[in-house]
Amino acid sequence: MIPGEFIYHRPSSVAEAVALLASHGDEARPLAGGHSLIPMMKLRMAAPEHLIDLSGVADLKGIQEVGDTIVIGAMTTQHELVNSDLLIAKLPIIRETSLMIADPQIRYMGTIGGNVANGDPGNDMPGLMQCLNAVYVLAGPDGEREVAARDFYEAAYFTALAPEELVTAVKIPTPPAGHGFAYEKLKRKVGDYATAAAAVLVTMSGDTVSSCSVALTNVADTPLYAAEASEILNGSALDADTVKRAVAAAEAITMPAADGRGPAEYRTKMAGVMLERALARAAERAKG
């Protein structure tokens, strides 16, 4: 399929991109990596009259540590996330997750900003960002504002992002040294969306959990921060009974659709299995 006609824009600054969005309103769409928008345009399920290519905005690139926060520009690609020495040292779960997204060819173009801003419940980064308690920096005509990842997603493809706004960066609190982490993803084939996936970040004090964060991917119409499961695990020794209660609490908040990846009941149970596996790996990696 061939997309419909559109006017192509290539701004060189965030201000220029925001001005274009504000000027053209619902008729304009920003283009990041393009792996979600371009297929929709080819199928004529999206037909923007103005396409605003963000690849020329240098300020949207880069990974840096600012104080106790990791700041990732929205146009940073998955390939760059995989190969960042800073992330490997401070936030290795991002590399682990990025390597499970699609294939190398797509990771060369796909961006973290596009992945988190699109609102697709099957994307891997939104759930991970909720697990990491990330904050998204949004730029609009009235300046910048910040929205927590845990508050950003409203429904499938509906987010707190206004039509004239861009996600410009992702801010993530730097976890303490020696933290444990894991992203477990069940998929039908390499490069597929998750049937169910779980992200876990844990710190230990000896054999006791001093902090734990859990999030789930593709088992509802938004990513799910499993607050109750996280609270159950905090202060525990990750004994079998506590893990069982946490898994049950996580499964209880899922609302997956029955589709080609399996019936709803199966996907819910697989979310629990992924969480149990992620907890075991994260605990093994944590240095109490």
Side-chain angles (χ1 to χ4, degrees):
M1 294 289 290
I2 299 173
E5 291 186 1
F6 58 86
I7 299 173
Y8 175 80
H9 304 268
R10 187 180 168 86
S12 58
S13 69
V14 171
E16 186 182 353
V18 168
L20 286 166
L21 285 172
S23 173
H24 298 294
D26 291 339
E27 297 174 354
R29 291 288 297 275
L31 176 68
H35 292 299
S36 296
L37 179 58
I38 298 301
M40 295 288 282
M41 291 174 63
K42 288 182 175 181
L43 292 170
R44 303 296 177 99
M45 296 177 70
E49 296 181 15
H50 297 266
L51 197 62
I52 302 170
D53 184 354
L54 302 178
S55 61
V57 184
D59 289 345
L60 295 178
K61 281 275 192 178
I63 306 167
Q64 58 182 320
E65 188 171 20
V66 182
D68 58 358
T69 302
I70 303 292
V71 182
I72 306 174
M75 286 296 289
T76 304
T77 67
Q78 301 294 340
H79 174 75
E80 290 164 335
L81 297 179
V82 167
N83 291 282
S84 164
D85 291 337
L86 176 60
L87 294 182
I88 291 169
K90 298 294 183 74
L91 271 169
I93 193 172
I94 292 183
R95 182 179 194 273
E96 180 164 283
T97 304
S98 293
L99 284 169
M100 297 185 197
I101 295 174
D103 54 50
Q105 185 174 6
I106 286 176
R107 292 196 292 269
Y108 275 116
M109 292 297 294
T111 65
I112 188 171
N115 198 281
V116 302
N118 189 35
D120 186 339
N123 284 350
D124 293 283
M125 285 293 165
L128 176 60
M129 293 303 117
Q130 290 189 338
C131 177
L132 297 175
N133 199 20
V135 170
Y136 301 152
V137 182
L138 315 182
D142 298 325
E144 287 188 346
R145 66 188 181 106
E146 297 185 354
V147 179
R150 295 173 187 175
D151 299 325
F152 186 75
Y153 301 97
E154 299 169 355
Y157 302 101
F158 286 89
T159 70
L161 188 69
E164 68 276 10
E165 289 182 315
L166 293 172
V167 175
T168 61
V170 177
K171 295 182 176 180
I172 305 168
T174 307
H179 70 276
F181 64 92
Y183 189 71
E184 286 283 346
K185 178 178 180 179
L186 176 66
K187 54 187 184 290
R188 297 172 299 177
K189 56 184 175 61
V190 173
D192 195 11
Y193 283 122
T195 300
V200 170
L201 191 74
V202 65
T203 58
M204 305 288 291
S205 178
D207 293 328
T208 302
V209 175
S210 51
S211 68
C212 185
S213 180
V214 173
L216 305 175
T217 294
N218 212 20
V219 284
D221 62 357
T222 66
L224 297 174
Y225 174 60
E228 184 180 354
S230 302
E231 185 60 31
I232 289 170
L233 293 162
N234 280 332
S236 78
L238 293 179
D239 55 279
D241 180 65
T242 300
V243 169
K244 183 178 179 179
R245 289 192 295 115
V247 166
E251 290 179 352
I253 64 173
T254 66
M255 294 178 289
D259 59 16
R261 294 175 180 85
E265 296 83 357
Y266 169 74
R267 296 182 66 189
T268 288
K269 285 302 176 186
M270 290 305 99
V273 170
M274 293 303 104
L275 173 53
E276 194 165 358
R277 291 179 183 176
L279 279 169
R281 282 207 300 126
E284 185 176 343
R285 285 167 163 170
K287 300 171 185 175

